[in-house]
Amino acid sequence: MTLTIFLTLSLLVAASAFVQGAVGIGFALIMAPVFGFIDASYLPVTLLVLMLPLNFLVAWRERHMIDRRGASWITVGRFFGTFLGMAVLIALSVRQLEIAVGLLTVLAAVVALLSPPFAPRPQASLGVGLFTGVTETATGIGGPPLALLYQHAPGPILRSTVATCFLVGEAISLVILLIAGRIGQDQMLAALSLIPAVLIGSALSRSVHSRINGPALRLAVLIFSIVSGAALMLKG
């Protein structure tokens, strides 16, 4: 990783952490296509490691608003989905992973834009957890289904619950990836070097998360995700 790439990634990681800290989603949607462009071998491990401190801080900040019942059902589904996601990751080549990341980014963002509201009931939570386990373990992207589930909940509930589900799910995915021998030194070093940027972005979001125009920023993130995901699929 050259100095220019490192500085560019640091700026994007900080901005993405700020967005997720303020809105509740956005980090993986922005950074998964970016890592795909630079080197798809960083996916999903580097992305998952970076999201651990980010989601811990967001969940802790608004911990009293966590929907614990919904998070429990999501985590059950997430656990079983992890094994399916591992199978997908093993089956894909680097180029196929790039295409998968781009496609899932676009589909997830479009669904998040167009889907009608539905209540976060146990069946829906279980299904979303299962789907998230597959997509996040394989590509690092899992936010839009969770955001859809809580899209009409108050901001603190959405942010804290999604962050909690992410935190538990990412830990599960990383343990499974470690057992399967899919975590490399380069992936971990890249993540460790970028964690300061995550902390900076998260700290900045703390001062504005209660005032920021969430719907407009969320729309911008999703539009960016569609464009970047499409570009990644078309990459030569």
Side-chain angles (χ1 to χ4, degrees), residues 52-73:
L52 286 174
L54 172 61
N55 286 308
F56 172 79
L57 292 171
V58 173
W60 181 259
R61 184 179 67 196
E62 297 177 301
R63 59 192 179 278
H64 301 299
M65 301 301 293
I66 296 171
D67 176 14
R68 288 174 172 78
R69 183 168 179 266
S72 298
W73 282 108

Side-chain angles (χ1 to χ4, degrees), residues 44-53 78 82 86 136-137 166-183 187-188 191:
V45 173
T46 301
L47 197 58
L48 291 171
V49 173
L50 287 174
M51 288 192 290
L52 286 174
R78 178 71 172 74
T82 298
M86 188 68 235
E136 192 171 26
T137 302
F166 272 153
L167 184 62
V168 176
E170 287 148 12
I172 293 172
S173 292
L174 286 169
V175 169
I176 299 301
L177 289 166
L178 179 62
I179 293 172
R182 302 288 294 194
I183 296 181
Q187 296 167 321
M188 292 300 298

Side-chain angles (χ1 to χ4, degrees), residues 11 15 30 43 46 66 89 97 120 131 139 169 188 213 218 223 229:
L11 288 173
I30 295 172
L43 295 171
T46 301
I66 296 171
L89 182 62
L97 182 59
F131 182 75
T139 68
M188 292 300 298
N213 187 350
R218 176 175 176 269
I223 291 174

Side-chain angles (χ1 to χ4, degrees), residues 11-153:
L11 288 173
L12 289 172
V13 165
S16 303
F18 170 81
V19 170
Q20 178 141 340
V23 182
I25 63 167
F27 188 86
L29 278 173
I30 295 172
M31 291 309 304
V34 170
F35 277 120
F37 272 112
I38 293 172
D39 187 346
S41 66
Y42 287 128
L43 295 171
V45 173
T46 301
L47 197 58
L48 291 171
V49 173
L50 287 174
M51 288 192 290
L52 286 174
L54 172 61
N55 286 308
F56 172 79
L57 292 171
V58 173
W60 181 259
R61 184 179 67 196
E62 297 177 301
R63 59 192 179 278
H64 301 299
M65 301 301 293
I66 296 171
D67 176 14
R68 288 174 172 78
R69 183 168 179 266
S72 298
W73 282 108
I74 290 168
T75 299
V76 171
R78 178 71 172 74
F79 175 78
F80 290 104
T82 298
F83 296 96
L84 296 175
M86 188 68 235
V88 171
L89 182 62
I90 292 173
L92 297 180
S93 66
V94 172
R95 179 56 188 146
Q96 289 171 332
L97 182 59
E98 291 176 344
I99 295 172
V101 169
L103 180 60
L104 285 172
T105 300
V106 172
L107 290 178
V110 170
V111 169
L113 283 169
L114 302 178
S115 177
F118 58 92
R121 295 171 181 165
Q123 298 91 331
S125 298
L126 189 64
V128 164
L130 181 66
F131 182 75
T132 299
V134 175
T135 60
E136 192 171 26
T137 302
T139 68
I141 297 171
L146 293 175
L148 278 173
L149 194 66
Y150 287 96
Q151 63 181 313
H152 294 288

